[in-house]
Amino acid sequence: MDIWVPNYRCKTSGTWLRIIEGLQSEESRQMSNMFRICPPGFMKLTRKGKPICCFDCIPCPQGEISNQSDMDNCMKCREDRWSNHKRDTCIPKLIIFLSDEEALGMALTTSSIFFSLISAIILGILIHYRDTPIVRANNRDISYILLISLMICFLCSLIFIGRPEPVTCILRQTTFGMIFSISLSSILAKTITVVMAFHATKPGSKLRKWMGSRISYTIILSCSLFQFTLCLIWLFSAPPFPYHNMQSETGAIVIECNEGSMIAFYCVLGFLGFLAGISFITAFLSRNLPDSFNEAKYITFSMLVFCSVWLTFIPTYLSTRGKYMVAVEIFAIQASSAGLLGCIFMPKCCIILLRPDMSSRKYLTKNN
């Protein structure tokens, strides 16, 4: 709170000064001196239209100090320092980043580990029941790849937590872009497998020779290589680096990762959006194909959740500052990955564990 300390030594009548000067005691002289000085943390402001001896003591502005009495101007602190509460000395600015020791960082770390363990448990269930029809449907090997990539997606959010360093800044977005491209291309491969399996059963179909895992692996490999090329171009042109943001918050230094080339960053995100859009459209068009274990309807809903999360992420990310920008991105990574995990694999696990009769060849033949 700014306060005003008036200077009492100037009175129009001069009566007060004459009384003070007439006193001989030491206490009176000390009292007179107290009224004649501006203490440290304040500066003198001459009153308009008054003699130079008439001034007010006003506190120094934020970021400025006065370490001596009766200073006419305050001194500005260095860029990495800030004024203390008394405004009489400069102190180091507060360092801010998303730490795993604070409540928000601990919550995001716990959720990341929790969801990665859930992915590992689901992977173990599918491997244990790998010979059942519901697991073998829609290419179980691609399901394994998708689960492993989702597990790494949850764990890669841990790179975003902690003090930004040159290595972690480089790994943050590139790892996120690569792993998500594998996940989305796996979903696209699973969806195309459903479409091809339906049309290949028609008499005289030429798609029979394309059936198998070769086309699925080709889709995953080509999409991943394209994203990998984008990441390499990004790293060799203008890689991310730690940045000390001193303007984002008053009196603090926000340590964050500068993305380097924003064009490369948006190209990586744009390719992920392209894969998500193609997967959603393909799954939506094939959701009603007659198949007892048709995953397309689950993939459609999962991609709807995925796209909703990232469309909400963009305005939220742009409207936040500092460590909360990182927290929003981590939340988007975990929420979208959890949407894919829950919508695609939870129905399968429920059937395997709770309704094993639906995961039998007899049930499959009856429904077909």
Side-chain angles (χ1 to χ4, degrees):
M1 178 181 297
D2 291 346
I3 59 174
W4 292 78
V5 181
N7 177 24
Y8 293 98
R9 68 176 177 176
C10 291
K11 300 292 181 179
T12 55
S13 62
T15 304
W16 178 257
L17 286 177
R18 287 194 295 270
I19 294 174
I20 293 298
E21 291 173 356
L23 298 176
Q24 299 299 322
S25 64
E26 184 66 25
E27 291 81 6
S28 299
R29 285 195 293 271
Q30 290 180 358
M31 182 180 296
S32 176
N33 292 333
M34 181 180 67
F35 289 128
R36 292 174 183 270
I37 65 172
C38 282
F42 293 82
M43 68 177 181
K44 296 191 297 185
L45 180 65
T46 305
R47 298 177 183 175
K48 291 184 179 180
K50 299 291 182 180
I52 193 171
C53 65
C54 296
F55 58 86
D56 293 319
C57 292
I58 63 172
C60 293
Q62 288 186 348
E64 298 183 12
I65 65 165
S66 64
N67 54 7
Q68 297 178 4
S69 301
D70 282 336
M71 292 189 66
D72 295 326
N73 295 292
C74 296
M75 299 181 299
K76 193 173 183 179
C77 294
R78 293 186 327 190
E79 192 176 14
D80 60 340
R81 292 178 174 269
W82 197 249
S83 56
N84 62 347
H85 180 69
K86 294 182 179 181
R87 312 286 172 83
D88 59 358
T89 184
C90 292
I91 58 176
K93 287 184 177 180
L94 180 66
I95 304 297
I96 296 178
F97 58 89
L98 184 60
S99 173
D100 55 358
E101 297 179 356
E102 58 182 300
L104 181 59
M106 291 178 62
L108 293 173
T109 301
T110 303
S111 60
S112 175
I113 297 175
F114 172 77
F115 283 116
S116 62
L117 290 177
I118 295 296
S119 303
I121 292 173
I122 294 177
L123 177 62
I125 292 175
L126 295 188
I127 293 177
H128 185 266
Y129 294 95
R130 60 185 177 275
D131 294 327
T132 57
I134 193 172
V135 176
R136 297 177 60 183
N138 302 308
N139 201 327
R140 62 184 174 187
D141 294 334
I142 303 301
S143 296
Y144 299 157
I145 295 176
L146 177 57
L147 277 171
I148 293 174
S149 63
L150 288 177
M151 190 189 313
I152 300 176
C153 281
F154 289 120
L155 293 177
C156 81
S157 61
L158 296 176
I159 307 177
F160 290 78
I161 303 174
R163 187 186 182 98
E165 301 290 345
V167 175
T168 56
C169 284
I170 291 175
L171 291 178
R172 279 184 180 183
Q173 304 297 349
T174 53
T175 304
F176 155 72
M178 282 300 305
I179 298 302
F180 258 85
S181 64
I182 296 175
S183 300
L184 293 175
S185 58
S186 300
I187 293 175
L188 180 61
K190 289 172 73 67
T191 309
I192 293 178
T193 300
V194 174
V195 177
M196 293 181 62
F198 173 74
H199 290 284
T201 57
K202 294 182 178 180
S205 176
K206 297 181 180 180
L207 293 177
R208 291 179 179 271
K209 60 181 180 179
W210 295 100
M211 287 300 296
S213 58
R214 183 181 304 174
I215 185 66
S216 300
Y217 294 143
T218 302
I219 293 173
I220 297 174
L221 185 60
S222 58
C223 293
S224 301
L225 283 177
F226 184 81
Q227 185 73 296
F228 181 72
T229 303
L230 289 178
C231 292
L232 282 182
I233 295 174
W234 184 6
L235 295 180
F236 281 105
S237 60
F241 59 91
Y243 171 67
H244 289 198
N245 190 341
M246 301 184 184
Q247 289 75 37
S248 179
E249 296 192 21
T250 303
I253 300 176
V254 180
I255 304 181
E256 56 191 16
C257 287
N258 188 299
E259 307 304 344
S261 174
M262 296 304 297
I263 297 177
F265 174 65
Y266 286 121
C267 286
V268 170
L269 292 183
F271 182 67
L272 294 179
F274 171 76
L275 288 179
I278 294 297
S279 300
F280 174 73
I281 294 173
T282 306
F284 180 79
L285 296 177
S286 59
R287 70 191 187 282
N288 292 324
L289 293 180
D291 190 348
S292 297
F293 299 122
N294 184 9
E295 281 186 319
K297 61 185 70 174
Y298 303 121
I299 294 177
T300 302
F301 188 69
S302 68
M303 295 312 302
L304 183 62
V305 174
F306 183 90
C307 295
S308 300
V309 169
W310 285 103
L311 289 177
T312 307
F313 158 79
I314 295 175
T316 307
Y317 182 80
L318 295 177
S319 61
T320 54
R321 292 292 181 270
K323 63 181 180 180
Y324 297 104
M325 293 180 65
V326 182
V328 168
E329 186 170 1
I330 294 175
F331 177 80
I333 292 174
Q334 295 186 3
S336 56
S337 301
L340 298 179
L341 181 68
C343 296
I344 296 177
F345 294 103
M346 288 306 295
K348 280 188 175 184
C349 292
C350 290
I351 292 176
I352 292 173
L353 300 177
L354 304 178
R355 294 293 304 276
D357 57 300
M358 296 178 62
S359 181
S360 61
R361 187 175 299 276
K362 180 179 179 181
Y363 181 86
L364 176 64
T365 307
K366 178 181 178 182
N367 282 274
N368 285 338

